[in-house]
Every structure is written in C-alpha cells, then in structure tokens.
Amino acid sequence: MPAKKVCIVGSGNWGSSIARIIGQNVKASNRFDPMVKMWVYEEMINGKKLTEIINAEHENVKYLPGHKLPKNVIAVPDITEAVKGATVLVFVIPHQFIGKLCDQMKCHVTEGTIGISLIKGVDEGPDGLKLISDIIREKLEIDVSVLMGANIASEVADEKFCETTIGAKNDANGHIFKELLQTPNFRITVVRESDTVELCGALKNIVAVGAGFCDGLGCGDNTKAAVIRLGLMEMIAFARLFCKGTVSSSTFLESCGVADLITTCYGGRNRKVAEAFVTTNKSIAELEVEMLNGQKLQGPQTSAEVYKILQKRNMVNKFPLFAEVYQICFEGKAVKEFIKCLQNHPEHL
C-alpha cells in the first residue's frame, strides 16, 4: 500500500496543536507519507505572509506562538494545492466556513480518501439538524470520522496529558486516525456512536456560555455545577431526539461528553467571552474581535442553529437552558434572567 498523504485543513490554535502531533507521528509510521500539508488562511503579520513565516520559522506566530511546528509540516495558502494528492484529510476550521471550503476542494479529492472532523458545531439543514461531518460526507463523498474531547488547544500544545474520543462509523478508519493522532499524552478511545460524539462537541459550547454567564454574575461553583448538570441533561435529550441510531449513556461518559463539558465550562473561550459579556456590557461580536485574536466563537452561533431547529419542532420549551443562552446572546434578554431558567428547569427531560 502506498503511504497515505495527510492534509490538515485549518491552522488556528487547535489546528496548529494537532499539526504538532501529526507532524511527529507520521515520521514514526510507515503508514503515512512523512510530509504533511497544512492549509492556512493567508494573513499578513507585520508585513509578512503568515504561510511564509510558518515555513521559515516553523511556528504559527499568530495562533500558537511559542510552540514550534515540526519541519515536515508545510503551510500552503491555496486549498486546492494543499489537498492535491492527499488521502487523509483532517478538518479543523470554524464550522461556518466548511461548506464553502468543501466546494473548493471537491474536484481535487481522490476516491478512497478518508476524513476526520475536529470541528465543534452543527448546521441547520432542510430537515432540521445537519452535522458538520454530514456536510463533508455529502460534498466530498468520503467517509468521515470525528474527534471530540476535553482538549484545550494550549494544553495539548504544552503536551499536558489529556484524553479524547474518536467517533468512527468505519472501525478500520477510526484506528487509522488513532495511529495518526495518539501520543502518550493524547490518549484516544474509538467508539462507534460518531453522531453522538459530534453532537457532544457542539452542544457543550452552548452550556459553556451559560457557565460564563454564571461567572460574570458572580454566582459561584454550586450554580455552575447546576448549569453543567442541567446542560448535560439537555445534551443527552437533544442527542436522543436528533441522532439516527443508538444513543447510549456510556458515550456521554467518554472524554467527548462529561469531560469536555467540564473543561469547557471552566476553561474554554466560550466561558471566558460569556463572562466578559456580563461584566463589560459589550456585544458578543465586539468581544470576539477584542479577545480571540482572530479566532471564532462557536457557542453563540451553535445556540442560534439549535434554537432554529427546536423552533421548527415546536420544542423550545423542552430545552430551557439552550433557549436562554440564545435569547440572551441574540434577542436582548437580560442576562440576570439566566438563573430563572435553572430555577424553573424540569426535573426530567
């Protein structure tokens, strides 16, 4: 079998952290070609192109400063050039850009290519929920696995121990990705419930916005624990409503479920920006520009997509925490009202 060529589609802090792992792992395996292309959205940094800086200095100075990338990871600004000849695609971009990018890639993706999505979000389709992996599958006609977990990018880049979950409908492909991505400090479990794994990765960002509201309001850890528990209840109920096939409780005990929910509610960017939303009275859009260095916030956007899906099903009232996050972010509802959705939350969903 010829060695599999890997292309990383995306180069933010998470994409660059994953590039560090992939660049090292392909050199130690006969299964993969030792050169990895990484598609980079071109930007000018102090008068120089970001791709040229990465290729000269082996560091993404904008999104992952202070961490060297392996020299076999090559930054490419043209998506069609990046994917040419690749048989393994790793998608790690903000979810709102995936459709347009897949359209540009389509003619350059060869038969037998496999993909994995590290993208945390959902879309609204004509029949309701649309998973990001489904968009990739349909547009590129390839098998797509997903990777979700308690994986704050800076900690992964620092090689602090963490776990993650690969959801793979094709077991063999799941284990190819495990070989590509696992390290002693990045431990991977492969499970079959790919759709549940992916939904966990998207929905936990909505809950993290609620956790940030709590912090901004000075509510304390007991209240945040309630947000996490009630948010998890809504995540499970939503998955059971919208996932095709089995949704087992055990998947929520993997890193993609409760672990990712906890770390995001205490550490992630959605929590951080939501706290600032309360304390500064600035809009989410303003804070995204001020605080995220060009990165995109996923929680509010995902809450909007989920809210539209629930409206279509006339089920908004069954998901009070999800609905409240959306209404505060987009409809001007007072953030101090957030606690009411916890006080009045049904015991069972």
Side-chain angles (χ1 to χ4, degrees):
M1 290 287 288
K4 297 179 182 297
K5 290 189 175 182
V6 180
C7 172
I8 303 165
V9 182
S11 59
N13 66 339
W14 188 210
S16 297
S17 298
I18 284 296
R20 281 168 52 81
I21 291 173
I22 290 174
Q24 293 294 344
N25 281 0
V26 295
K27 291 189 286 189
S29 169
N30 294 327
R31 194 195 289 266
F32 304 104
D33 188 290
M35 191 183 86
V36 176
K37 289 183 182 176
M38 178 173 73
W39 175 70
V40 175
Y41 177 77
E42 192 69 281
E43 300 177 64
M44 298 302 290
I45 309 292
N46 298 325
K48 290 184 179 177
K49 291 179 178 177
L50 181 56
T51 51
E52 291 176 359
I53 296 170
I54 292 171
N55 290 333
E57 299 178 19
H58 307 291
E59 183 181 340
N60 189 332
V61 293
K62 178 163 186 184
Y63 295 110
L64 198 67
H67 294 88
K68 289 294 182 185
L69 297 171
K71 292 180 180 177
N72 57 322
V73 175
I74 310 300
V76 181
D78 183 286
I79 186 62
T80 59
E81 181 62 33
V83 301
K84 201 175 289 178
T87 50
V88 175
L89 301 174
V90 180
F91 294 90
V92 54
I93 58 170
H95 78 274
Q96 50 267 49
F97 303 132
I98 191 64
K100 184 180 175 185
L101 209 58
C102 283
D103 289 338
Q104 293 174 257
M105 294 166 61
K106 185 170 177 57
C107 297
H108 306 274
V109 174
T110 54
E111 193 176 344
T113 296
I114 60 173
I116 188 165
S117 171
L118 282 63
I119 300 169
K120 296 182 174 178
V122 291
D123 205 353
E124 186 204 3
D127 302 317
L129 182 75
K130 189 87 164 177
L131 295 172
I132 302 306
S133 64
D134 284 336
I135 295 171
I136 300 169
R137 270 184 210 104
E138 290 170 16
K139 286 186 176 286
L140 301 184
E141 298 177 8
I142 63 173
D143 181 72
V144 184
S145 303
V146 299
L147 181 147
M148 307 283 153
N151 309 141
I152 290 174
S154 58
E155 294 185 15
V156 174
D158 287 336
E159 298 181 26
K160 294 177 179 175
F161 177 80
C162 68
E163 301 175 306
T164 198
T165 311
I166 287 178
K169 294 175 181 179
N170 181 307
D171 197 54
N173 290 346
H175 283 87
I176 288 170
F177 286 117
K178 182 171 181 173
E179 183 181 331
L180 178 66
L181 292 160
Q182 182 161 264
T183 74
N185 284 321
F186 192 64
R187 195 179 82 161
I188 294 172
T189 303
V190 181
V191 302
R192 294 295 296 273
E193 286 182 22
S194 177
D195 291 355
T196 306
V197 171
E198 185 169 1
L199 259 187
C200 282
L203 297 176
K204 57 95 188 185
N205 281 328
I206 305 176
V207 185
V209 174
F213 291 160
C214 278
D215 289 342
L217 292 166
C219 294
D221 284 340
N222 292 337
T223 310
K224 193 189 281 193
V227 170
I228 292 170
R229 188 187 76 82
L230 297 170
L232 182 61
M233 279 173 59
E234 292 194 16
M235 286 168 62
I236 294 168
F238 191 93
R240 288 186 169 152
L241 272 172
F242 291 98
C243 280
K244 305 174 191 82
T246 307
V247 175
S248 54
S249 299
S250 60
T251 303
F252 292 90
L253 297 177
E254 298 290 347
S255 182
C256 63
V258 69
D260 195 10
L261 181 59
I262 291 167
T263 199
T264 309
C265 286
Y266 278 92
R269 71 183 79 151
N270 289 281
R271 187 220 63 79
K272 182 178 165 188
V273 172
E275 180 181 19
F277 176 79
V278 181
T279 57
T280 66
N281 292 318
K282 293 180 180 177
S283 71
I284 293 285
E286 286 175 297
L287 292 167
E288 187 180 61
V289 171
E290 280 181 27
M291 298 175 68
L292 297 185
N293 190 33
Q295 297 172 76
K296 294 294 177 186
L297 203 61
Q298 299 299 312
Q301 182 72 27
T302 302
S303 79
E305 278 138 8
V306 164
Y307 192 81
K308 285 180 207 161
I309 292 162
L310 292 173
Q311 272 188 317
K312 278 187 178 176
R313 293 276 194 103
N314 200 25
M315 298 184 83
V316 168
N317 292 341
K318 292 188 179 294
F319 294 86
L321 193 150
F322 287 176
E324 195 82 1
V325 168
Y326 166 77
Q327 288 163 352
I328 290 168
C329 288
F330 295 102
E331 293 190 346
K333 191 166 187 177
V335 72
K336 66 178 184 293
E337 299 290 310
F338 179 69
I339 303 307
K340 286 184 182 173
C341 87
L342 309 179
Q343 293 167 335
N344 301 322
H345 204 283
E347 289 181 26
H348 305 287
L349 294 177

